Amino acid sequence: MAIAYKLANQNNPVAISALFDETFSDSESADEGKLIGRLAYNLIETTPEDDIVVFTGFEEDRLVGCIIFTRLRFEGDARQVYLLSPVAISSDQQRRGIGTELIRFGLQTLGNFGADIAVTYGDPDYYERVGFKPIDAAIIPAPLALEQPHGWLAQSLTDEEIYPFQGPARCADALNDPAYW
């Protein structure tokens, strides 16, 4: 079956939260599933509409993937930066390239919307496949202390190289918790 990737302008926070809960429970632990499921729900419910972009992947009527981008703001810097977090692909659909294609679709769409840079915090081996590269927190400060600084990654969505931001960074309220960093 083909996967339909789309910008989710009508978000269903309950279904999206359940996907994250199930995926992270299967791969990490039930506690991690609840934590990330709650994060996805809170991001959708509490982040201002202009500061969040949600992309989904459906196989027929079944939600099989979701990625969430939220604005990362820096005082005195007009560049539009989006943080990719979290990402979930249904456990039974992994290793089919759905996550890679969903992220590529999201990055291209954000670039078309005028975003300048995308950042994420995760496994470099995975995210480098879609163009992310390690970035020093001195260039793009993280909103909170990073437990694993090697997982701080970025990519330009324009022809411009990434040059240093003046901190501090401010993320969506739902992400402003050391448990995610």
Side-chain angles (χ1 to χ4, degrees):
M1 291 273 154
I3 304 297
Y5 302 105
K6 49 185 153 178
L7 174 63
N9 56 3
Q10 297 280 322
N11 295 316
N12 180 339
V14 173
I16 289 172
S17 175
L19 173 69
F20 281 94
D21 187 332
E22 175 188 315
T23 301
F24 281 84
S25 290
D26 289 350
S27 66
E28 304 291 329
S29 70
D31 287 343
E32 186 76 3
K34 286 184 178 97
L35 178 73
I36 303 303
R38 189 171 43 253
L39 169 63
Y41 184 88
N42 289 338
L43 281 169
I44 292 167
E45 288 293 296
T46 66
T47 305
E49 191 174 307
D50 291 344
D51 288 345
I52 186 169
V53 186
V54 179
F55 296 93
T56 55
F58 280 86
E59 187 170 52
E60 295 185 0
D61 291 336
R62 180 177 171 229
L63 176 66
V64 296
C66 182
I67 61 175
I68 300 175
F69 288 92
T70 53
R71 284 289 300 268
L72 191 59
R73 296 184 183 274
F74 297 85
E75 284 184 35
D77 200 309
R79 288 177 282 177
Q80 287 188 40
V81 181
Y82 281 85
L83 173 65
L84 170 60
S85 180
V87 172
I89 305 302
S90 183
S91 299
D92 66 343
Q93 298 296 310
Q94 293 180 5
R95 305 214 186 303
R96 292 183 50 202
I98 295 170
T100 299
E101 288 305 310
L102 186 56
I103 293 169
R104 284 185 179 140
F105 176 74
L107 292 168
Q108 180 179 5
T109 303
L110 281 178
N112 292 342
F113 287 169
D116 298 296
I117 297 168
V119 296
T120 194
Y121 183 49
D123 179 1
D125 291 336
Y126 180 79
Y127 289 104
E128 285 178 353
R129 290 187 278 176
V130 290
F132 285 94
K133 302 282 183 233
I135 189 91
D136 193 299
I139 305 293
I140 301 179
L144 294 166
L146 300 172
E147 187 176 308
Q148 299 179 20
H150 69 278
W152 190 234
L153 311 163
Q155 70 174 285
S156 176
L157 301 178
T158 69
D159 293 333
E160 300 281 324
E161 287 194 31
I162 298 173
Y163 56 90
F165 283 83
Q166 299 302 308
R170 192 170 35 112
C171 62
D173 288 345
L175 279 165
N176 196 23
D177 181 334
Y180 304 121
W181 302 92

